[in-house]
Amino acid sequence: MAVKNVNLCVCIFLFLVALPLYSQANPSKPKAEKPSPFEFIKHLEGCHKGEKVEGLQQLKAYLEKFGYLNYNHSQNQNHANDDDFDDLLEAAVKTYQLNYHLKATGTLDAKTVSQMMKPRCGNADIINGTNWMRGGKKRPDHGHNALHTVSHYSFFQGNPKWPSNQLTYAFLPGTNSNAQSAVARAFDKWAAQTHFTFSRSQNLGSVNLKIGFGRLEHGDGVPFDGRGGTVAHAAAPTDGRFHYDADESWSMGAEPNAIDYETVALHEIGHLLGLDHSSVREAIMYSEVPVGATKGLHGDDIQGIKALYNIA
């Protein structure tokens, strides 16, 4: 979503400064199939530290986008724009593997490549170097007499939240009726589990939450990347912006090769309320977006929002 400190699902949407409304684009199915923006990762399978392979520079940009890699304060700054598989890239791959419950080898094995290629939320997994996805609670393992981390929900840095439990929302021009009804249902589901009430307004200028579509560079400083790749993003409190990617194939419910409006709305509303990504695969706040399937709120999501707002 030019934005400062953005920690969006491409993103890094934390606290955004006030900006003009973004340009709108009506969603439509692409006329011709194009490769996913993440397709380049496929031919990197098997790459590991010490190799030089074309496409690793793109992988570095991918991992930087989602918070795993930052050459700015490294002695290896000169490797940021090359195809060398260096120590920093290996460490980033290991962290990614840990976040997604994969074996942390640092090598781009088949499971890691498959996970990286999946459509996902544009918000970053790691913000300003803090890996919130691995910040789980500790619990004793009585069988081994040790402490183990429990993967769970996370919050944005600084735990931003809304000062009021009565929020208003409106749709940006061009938002189709299917998306509008799906978003309204998603708000109802979050309301049923929280102290929030969500009221729709026609006055776009005065609402807390603004929802609509964008395509590629759409005015918020966090461009989409075409079909596949990142499919939506939303800002942390109290910015209130949520965008669907207009280039995706969207559906009402589970349809082959399409993405369900309501499933994505549930996820992005979680961001709007202050939840960051969860490392629980079944949670709605898991960053991966299912294709051809639907998903609902999970106990981890409900536990997270109640913890953030001290809801009994």
Side-chain angles (χ1 to χ4, degrees):
M1 290 184 179
V3 176
K4 193 160 66 172
N5 290 335
V6 183
N7 180 44
L8 289 149
C9 263
V10 215
C11 355
I12 298 177
F13 263 38
L14 289 175
F15 302 98
L16 308 183
V17 294
L19 293 173
L21 291 177
Y22 352 88
S23 60
Q24 295 303 300
N26 290 322
S28 61
K29 293 188 178 181
K31 294 180 181 178
E33 291 293 328
K34 295 182 180 180
S36 162
F38 299 160
E39 189 73 20
F40 74 92
I41 302 173
K42 189 173 185 178
H43 88 274
L44 297 176
E45 183 176 331
C47 289
H48 55 79
K49 187 174 73 172
E51 293 189 314
K52 185 180 181 73
V53 179
E54 184 178 356
L56 286 176
Q57 180 181 349
Q58 288 175 273
L59 180 67
K60 291 175 181 179
Y62 170 102
L63 290 168
E64 182 178 11
K65 174 187 288 188
F66 298 118
Y68 291 90
L69 196 58
N70 187 343
Y71 281 93
N72 290 338
H73 304 294
S74 167
Q75 294 179 346
N76 296 332
Q77 287 186 30
N78 56 320
H79 286 298
N81 299 310
D82 63 26
D83 288 319
D84 290 343
F85 203 125
D86 60 356
D87 291 339
L88 220 56
L89 179 55
E90 182 187 51
V93 170
K94 284 183 177 179
T95 302
Y96 180 93
Q97 290 168 327
L98 285 170
N99 277 357
Y100 288 91
H101 309 293
L102 302 167
K103 189 175 181 181
T105 62
T107 296
L108 293 172
D109 54 52
K111 289 184 178 180
T112 303
V113 167
S114 176
Q115 181 65 50
M116 287 180 168
M117 290 178 64
K118 292 177 180 178
R120 59 163 291 157
C121 169
N123 291 49
D125 298 332
I126 299 175
I127 306 160
N128 293 337
T130 301
N131 189 0
W132 299 99
M133 286 179 71
R134 301 301 299 176
K137 298 174 180 177
K138 301 282 187 180
R139 70 178 178 193
D141 184 329
H142 298 294
H144 298 85
N145 195 28
L147 289 176
H148 287 264
T149 298
V150 181
S151 300
H152 73 333
Y153 58 83
S154 65
F155 309 137
F156 289 100
Q157 189 173 36
N159 296 357
K161 47 192 173 183
W162 291 93
S164 171
N165 62 357
Q166 298 182 35
L167 300 179
T168 55
Y169 68 94
F171 294 100
L172 300 173
T175 306
N176 67 67
S177 59
N178 284 343
Q180 292 185 28
S181 60
V183 168
R185 289 194 302 273
F187 275 127
D188 287 343
K189 290 179 180 180
W190 275 111
Q193 299 295 338
T194 65
H195 64 320
F196 284 106
T197 59
F198 303 99
S199 303
R200 181 174 175 179
S201 171
Q202 301 301 321
N203 187 352
L204 189 63
S206 64
V207 295
N208 304 114
L209 311 171
K210 298 179 177 69
I211 301 133
F213 285 83
R215 175 176 282 123
L216 300 177
E217 175 53 67
H218 50 285
D220 62 8
V222 188
F224 286 124
D225 48 15
R227 188 179 183 189
T230 56
V231 305
H233 54 217
T238 53
D239 178 273
R241 289 182 284 181
F242 159 17
H243 292 156
Y244 287 104
D245 184 350
D247 281 327
E248 304 298 336
S249 289
W250 294 99
S251 64
M252 294 287 282
E255 293 184 12
N257 303 313
I259 298 170
D260 176 43
Y261 281 118
E262 186 178 328
T263 297
V264 171
L266 284 168
H267 179 102
E268 301 305 336
I269 290 170
H271 285 319
L272 292 176
L273 297 180
L275 289 179
D276 204 349
H277 287 153
S278 171
S279 56
V280 175
R281 187 174 292 275
E282 296 77 19
I284 199 66
M285 296 312 298
Y286 191 67
S287 69
E288 179 189 329
V289 176
V291 178
T294 60
K295 198 173 181 180
L297 293 179
H298 180 269
D300 182 74
D301 307 305
I302 297 166
Q303 183 183 0
I305 201 67
K306 288 185 175 181
L308 179 60
Y309 286 93
N310 295 316
I311 302 172

